[in-house]
């Protein structure tokens, strides 16, 4: 197909592809009144207003009226101080980040099954696998660095299966592509599991030695024959059988997934369904075989590791453990609430009820990244006090009472980040921040001081060393060792050795006592998408990323790319013909929550009834006006991947 993308919205009209310019924040901004405009202010005025608002809300409504949105792009050190500010200064566990909108189900599922929320393998292991399964993951576009490891694996002889409703760029490299209907991952996984069991390919020795719950799992998958699953998923029975046999008979297999699995109202159940396959075949806990939830931001793994989530303290230590709380209370000199805080989804609901009155938002843009973004904006408008700390004047910052200019973590500050393979790596300051912008940690400490806590950190290493002292998984990672080894994966409990790059090796120990705790099968049931397609909304919209852009485009949108064509609604040739629309023609896309207009792009990788859009260009096409806030009850992640829409030609 000859490309006309990004050149027109109607025949003869050229589409503007010039970069968007989000202004870099170089000085504090404050709002004189709720309805007044933001104006320039001194740091003294801005910090006094920010701290004063937090103090007032806490005194009037208690600590749980406050919430912290921490940043998945900032350093581990910043996230550590942000969660400490929330728990020690404000006295609540209401802290979370955008991990809630993406891989919270992965953390929940892995923790429930294996006891740890991190991916189980290193990237290097993919290069030496016999089989690679990319399930709900267009890693070629969304995780290009990881995909280079996949390509090395393929060159080394690995077979690859791609499981995705769209025939993506990733699928083009696969030996076989399975295209399930959106929201049918559990039936497909169950059919794979049943076939493995009935073909006599289950690793019975591993199941008996290292797992529990197999009988319940086997009973759950029993109804999902290849024939039944083919009818529900749309995947041919022989293709399901082929995947099952390939996965079960491989010596080393990597099962990788991203948001195509997690961004559903039953995202945690989806994750458990995939983990079950690894337990069924013994593809976990040893070199080359593992489970890889691919993280999309530079430190979304690290943010959770540092405790910037409502149910875990730094080092992924459970808040509900009295011994854990006692350790942190001794280290921090403050009491910690003996209960879980509100996650991001809960906090937005609490805004609407009035229970959450103040939010400190660091480096996040929920005004454009949340599902049903119109509702999210209205909820934030109801806050009594919103402080945004960022490097750009985002749409969220435009709603704030106080805006604090911070540093870009990747080049203007020192610290560490943690990637998807649990590798902690150093980040070094290369340039000075512009204008009056300040280090995030300095800002947090200044606010803490104004609220009665005199915190002094000489540098980022001092923060890291405090974290190490209370997180056994990080104790062995001094800055010196991180530099020496060019990054270290957790767990690293000793300064004398480096642990294997894979997790859960205990499951293969010969001593039964050392295999504990056992891995747990999780029987889960099929639950179709909440937003049902019907005569009024006959198309299924799924969302995702493109190679040239990043999230809501605040950072990537400020520079030009020859690959970028702006936002389109992508349709298959059959649906484009049925609606009588052509490439570049602007149409109206409507869901039960809102409507947007966007030009059409035709993608032969889509099947009839399926449309695709991204969230990269919300200033021109706010795709999240269409998505549904149907949340996973375990992880709180919304169903970005399954909305019902209709397409209408414009007059």
């Amino acid at each position: 197909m000859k490309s006309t993308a990004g050149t027109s919205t109607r025949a003869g009209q050229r589409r503007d592809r010039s970069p968007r310019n989000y202004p870099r924040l170089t000085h504090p901004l404050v709002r004189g009144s709720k309805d007044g405009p933001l104006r320039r202010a001194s740091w003294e005025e801005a910090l006094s207003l920010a701290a004063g608002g937090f103090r007032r809300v806490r005194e009037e409504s208690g600590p749980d009226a406050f919430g912290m949105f921490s940043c998945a792009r900032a350093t581990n050190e910043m996230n550590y101080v942000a969660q400490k500010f929330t728990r020690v200064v404000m006295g609540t566990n209401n802290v979370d980040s955008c991990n809630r909108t993406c891989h919270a189900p992965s953390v929940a599922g892995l923790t429930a099954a294996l006891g740890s929320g991190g991916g189980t393998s290193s990237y290097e292991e993919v290069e030496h696998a016999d089989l690679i399964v990319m399930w709900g993951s267009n890693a070629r576009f969304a995780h290009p660095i990881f995909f280079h490891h996949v390509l090395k694996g393929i060159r080394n002889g690995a077979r690859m299966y791609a499981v995705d409703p769209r025939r993506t760029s990733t699928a083009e490299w696969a030996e076989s592509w399975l295209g399930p209907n959106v929201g049918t991952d559990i039936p497909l996984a169950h059919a794979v599991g049943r076939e493995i069991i009935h073909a006599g390919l289950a690793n019975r020795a591993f199941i008996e030695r290292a797992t529990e719950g197999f009988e319940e799992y086997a009973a759950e998958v029993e109804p999902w024959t290849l024939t039944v699953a083919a009818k529900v998923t749309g995947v041919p029975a022989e293709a399901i059988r082929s995947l099952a046999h390939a996965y079960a008979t491989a010596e080393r297999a990597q099962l990788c997934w991203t948001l195509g699995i997690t961004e559903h109202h039953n995202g945690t159940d989806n994750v458990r369904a995939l983990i079950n396959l690894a337990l069924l075949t013994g593809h976990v806990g040893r070199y080359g075989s593992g489970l890889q939830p691919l993280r999309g931001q530079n430190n979304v793994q690290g943010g959770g590791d540092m405790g910037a989530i409502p149910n875990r303290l730094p080092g992924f230590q459970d808040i509900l453990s009295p011994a854990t709380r006692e350790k942190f209370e001794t280290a921090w000199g403050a009491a910690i609430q003996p209960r879980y805080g509100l996650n991001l989804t809960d906090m937005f609901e609490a805004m609407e009820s009035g229970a959450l009155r103040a939010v400190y938002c660091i480096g996040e843009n929920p005004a454009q990244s949340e599902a049903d973004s119109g509702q999210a904006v209205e909820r934030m408008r109801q806050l009594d006090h919103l402080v945004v700390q960022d490097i750009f004047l985002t749409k969220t910052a435009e709603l704030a009472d106080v805006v604090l200019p911070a540093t870009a973590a990747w080049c203007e500050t020192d610290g560490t980040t943690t990637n998807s393979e649990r590798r902690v790596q150093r980040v070094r300051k290369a340039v000075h921040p512009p204008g009056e912008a300040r280090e995030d940690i300095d800002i947090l400490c200044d606010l803490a001081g104004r609220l009665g806590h005199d915190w002094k950190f000489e540098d980022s290493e001092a923060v890291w060393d405090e974290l190490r002292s209370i997180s056994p998984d990080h104790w062995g990672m001094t800055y010196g060792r991180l530099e020496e080894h060019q990054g270290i994966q957790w767990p690293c409990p000793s300064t004398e050795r480096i642990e294997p790059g894979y997790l859960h090796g205990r499951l293969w120990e010969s001593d039964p006592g050392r295999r504990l705790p056992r891995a747990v099968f999780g029987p889960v049931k099929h639950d179709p998408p909440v937003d049902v397609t019907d005569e009024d909304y006959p198309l299924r919209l799924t969302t995702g990323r493109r190679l040239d852009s990043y999230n809501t485009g605040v950072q990537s949108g400020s520079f030009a790319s020859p690959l970028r064509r702006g936002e389109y609604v992508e349709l298959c040739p059959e649906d484009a013909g049925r609606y009588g629309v052509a490439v570049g023609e602007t149409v109206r896309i409507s869901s039960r929550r809102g409507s947007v207009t966007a030009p059409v792009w035709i993608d032969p990788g889509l099947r009839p009834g399926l449309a695709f859009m991204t969230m990269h260009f919300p200033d021109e096409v706010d795709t999240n006006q269409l998505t549904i806030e149907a949340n996973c009850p375990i992880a709180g992640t919304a169903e970005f991947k399954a909305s019902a829409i209709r397409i209408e030609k414009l007059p």
Side-chain angles (χ1 to χ4, degrees), residues 489-507:
Q489 291 172 273
W490 63 256
C492 183
S494 170
T495 58
E496 303 298 324
R497 66 180 186 274
I498 299 294
E499 301 296 320
Y502 57 88
L503 294 178
H504 314 303
R506 71 178 190 280
L507 299 174

Side-chain angles (χ1 to χ4, degrees), residues 180-209:
N181 297 322
V182 173
T184 62
D185 298 285
I186 289 174
L188 181 57
H190 281 3
V192 170
R194 183 188 185 278
E195 175 62 21
I196 289 172
I197 294 170
H198 279 258
L201 298 175
N203 190 329
R204 293 283 181 173
F206 178 80
I207 292 169
E208 293 171 6
R209 287 161 49 92

Side-chain angles (χ1 to χ4, degrees), residues 135-185:
W135 199 313
S137 171
N138 185 14
R140 173 69 182 86
F141 279 12
H143 302 88
I145 302 301
F146 175 79
F147 198 69
H148 283 297
H149 295 277
V150 172
L151 292 178
K152 288 182 180 179
I154 293 172
R155 285 195 291 269
N156 289 336
R159 303 164 65 191
M160 188 175 91
Y161 281 72
V163 183
D164 199 300
R166 299 186 298 137
R167 193 180 185 95
T168 63
S169 177
T170 298
E172 294 175 3
W173 291 89
E175 174 181 305
S176 180
W177 167 64
L178 285 68
N181 297 322
V182 173
T184 62
D185 298 285

Side-chain angles (χ1 to χ4, degrees), residues 84-133:
K84 184 179 178 182
F85 179 95
T86 304
R87 293 181 165 113
V88 174
V89 177
M90 299 304 297
T92 180
N93 289 317
N94 295 345
V95 56
D96 209 354
S97 73
C98 68
N99 120 90
R100 194 62 48 190
T101 65
C102 53
H103 270 294
S106 297
V107 174
L110 288 164
T111 301
L114 295 162
S116 173
T120 71
S121 299
S122 64
Y123 290 172
E124 177 196 26
E125 294 173 56
V126 177
E127 301 174 18
H128 303 288
D130 302 306
L131 184 79
I132 304 167
V133 182

Side-chain angles (χ1 to χ4, degrees), residues 6-17:
T7 60
S8 65
T9 54
R10 301 255 187 188
Q13 294 183 8
R14 181 170 181 79
R15 193 160 187 225
D16 182 12
R17 291 195 303 176

Side-chain angles (χ1 to χ4, degrees), residues 545-587:
R545 294 171 175 167
R546 295 196 183 102
L547 180 61
D548 57 82
S549 297
Y550 178 71
N551 287 4
T552 59
V554 173
Q555 296 181 73
S556 59
S558 61
F559 61 87
S561 168
L563 299 176
R564 186 174 299 132
R565 62 175 188 253
E567 190 54 71
Y568 283 71
V569 57
E570 299 184 11
L571 303 172
C572 69
E574 295 87 344
D575 284 338
R578 183 159 59 91
Y579 285 102
V581 297
V583 171
E585 179 179 347
T586 299
V587 297

